[in-house]
Amino acid sequence: FLSLVAEFCCGFFVILILGKFWFLAVLYLLWLYLDWQTPCTGGRRSQWVRSWTLWKYFREYFPIHLIKTSDLSPHHNYLLGFHPHGVLVAGAFGNFCTGPSFKNLFPGLTPYLHIMPIWFSCPFFREYIMSAGMVSASKESVSYVLNNKGGGHASIIVIGGAEESLNAHPGSLTLNILKRKGFIKMALKHGAHLVPVFSFGENELFKQVANPKGSWLRNIQEKMQKIMGFALPLFHARGVFQYSFGLIPYRQPIHTVVGSPIPVKQNLNPTTAEIEQLHTLYLQKLRQLFEEHKRNYGIPEHKSLIFE
């Protein structure tokens, strides 16, 4: 979805360059140069954009819900680990970039959804995603958000990243997390409390072409992901007037459950052992969150998370 909108914006920019309004493109390039670091310094959110009626219909289409399990004090900064990535990351966008749900449930906290830096190099598109409250997923950007001395900031990171989208099959509970420990180090360096978040229904929105690990398709997808920085899952869902084939996501409810915070004491130079210890604790709390809520959202009793 993001790539389609980005392609449209890039196409519009090319039209400007080649057309009689080329001088507007030149002015925008100057603006881009001057504004290049903004996605790494908190972005430029717009409450007007985040409150568009369009997003209300977007949330109601599935529908998307945000569930609170514990209070989050506005006197601390938090790093929320979002799982799973899915194809669309609809729960993350719908709950943290649009509407009043997060603000109502967690007053005093400002959410920042971190996404791949490559998206902020796309002309015009970068302005839109920053307006929605998205910022770069670079270390510099995460540090900027979590370094707020007064607290009240919440970094949301989709831990599995683009690679995990290739596992986004209906019923899949496989998370790419065992080797992903950078977010743990960032939480320790800034003393940001860790919060596991699991979005039930995220993998049910599309059907993806079978791509088991080791298959020729998966090998190609993984190689392209390493080259381009984002994955290209081959998926389909429903059409506008029929349910057999199309690119519109299925209407499946999404329940994004925000877990209890894991207190983290600031450690500017954490050792490998300390990172491993906190990572293990985070995995335990994430699994516990899933097990406590899976019955409420149609997950069979015998199903559990698989960490890779």
Side-chain angles (χ1 to χ4, degrees):
F1 175 74
L2 282 177
S3 60
L4 289 175
V5 179
E7 287 174 9
F8 173 81
C9 291
C10 288
F12 178 70
F13 184 71
V14 170
I15 292 173
L16 279 182
I17 292 178
L18 300 178
K20 60 181 180 180
F21 296 106
W22 58 268
F23 61 93
L24 293 178
V26 172
L27 288 175
Y28 184 80
L29 284 175
L30 176 60
W31 162 256
L32 197 61
Y33 173 77
L34 296 173
D35 194 57
W36 190 254
Q37 289 299 316
T38 300
C40 296
T41 54
R44 187 171 46 248
R45 68 181 57 222
S46 164
Q47 191 56 41
W48 175 67
V49 173
R50 290 168 59 88
S51 302
W52 281 353
T53 303
L54 170 66
W55 305 136
K56 175 177 179 290
Y57 293 130
F58 172 80
R59 294 190 303 274
E60 291 177 350
Y61 171 80
F62 297 98
I64 296 174
H65 304 280
L66 186 65
I67 292 87
K68 170 184 175 180
T69 64
S70 177
D71 289 332
L72 298 181
S73 169
H75 301 298
H76 297 293
N77 294 317
Y78 299 89
L79 196 159
L80 279 63
F82 184 92
H83 313 270
H85 184 288
V87 171
L88 191 60
V89 205
F93 178 75
N95 286 311
F96 303 121
C97 294
T98 75
S101 294
F102 187 87
K103 181 179 179 181
N104 292 340
L105 292 177
F106 304 104
L109 285 184
T110 302
Y112 296 83
L113 179 60
H114 296 270
I115 64 174
M116 290 184 296
I118 189 174
W119 296 118
F120 295 97
S121 61
C122 180
F124 302 118
F125 180 67
R126 69 189 297 275
E127 318 304 334
Y128 155 68
I129 55 180
M130 278 197 290
S131 295
M134 298 184 217
V135 291
S136 172
S138 66
K139 291 181 182 179
E140 177 188 359
S141 176
V142 177
S143 292
Y144 183 90
V145 173
L146 296 181
N147 203 34
N148 189 42
K149 300 301 181 183
H153 281 188
S155 280
I156 298 96
I157 301 177
V158 184
I159 305 299
E163 183 183 357
E164 193 173 84
S165 67
L166 300 178
N167 290 329
H169 297 271
S172 173
L173 296 172
T174 301
L175 303 180
N176 292 67
I177 192 172
L178 291 181
K179 295 181 181 180
R180 296 180 180 264
K181 300 171 186 176
F183 74 103
I184 297 292
K185 187 175 182 179
M186 293 298 292
L188 282 166
K189 290 183 71 172
H190 294 281
H193 295 352
L194 281 167
V195 182
V197 178
F198 195 87
S199 195
F200 292 90
E202 200 74 44
N203 284 340
E204 317 303 315
L205 306 185
F206 297 93
K207 291 180 180 178
Q208 191 172 167
V209 175
N211 60 342
K213 287 202 170 184
S215 65
W216 66 269
L217 176 58
R218 184 61 167 256
N219 290 336
I220 292 175
Q221 288 175 319
E222 289 176 347
K223 287 179 182 177
M224 293 183 70
Q225 188 260 323
K226 289 178 181 178
I227 294 172
M228 299 186 298
F230 56 90
L232 291 174
L234 298 180
F235 59 88
H236 68 88
R238 54 163 291 185
V240 179
F241 301 110
Q242 44 78 28
Y243 291 85
S244 357
F245 190 82
L247 295 178
I248 298 176
Y250 293 115
R251 297 192 71 177
Q252 296 289 339
I254 297 172
H255 295 87
T256 303
V257 184
V258 180
S260 300
I262 303 170
V264 177
K265 185 177 180 180
Q266 188 173 24
N267 183 347
L268 295 178
N269 296 292
T271 64
T272 301
E274 290 168 332
I275 293 172
E276 289 285 351
Q277 183 180 18
L278 184 54
H279 187 260
T280 299
L281 176 60
Y282 179 85
L283 293 182
Q284 292 173 354
K285 294 297 184 180
L286 174 59
R287 189 181 294 279
Q288 180 182 339
L289 177 70
F290 174 81
E291 293 294 332
E292 288 178 353
H293 294 273
K294 67 180 184 181
R295 301 170 191 83
N296 299 332
Y297 307 116
I299 306 294
E301 185 65 33
H302 68 278
K303 290 257 191 174
S304 295
L305 294 178
I306 300 172
F307 296 146
E308 287 187 346

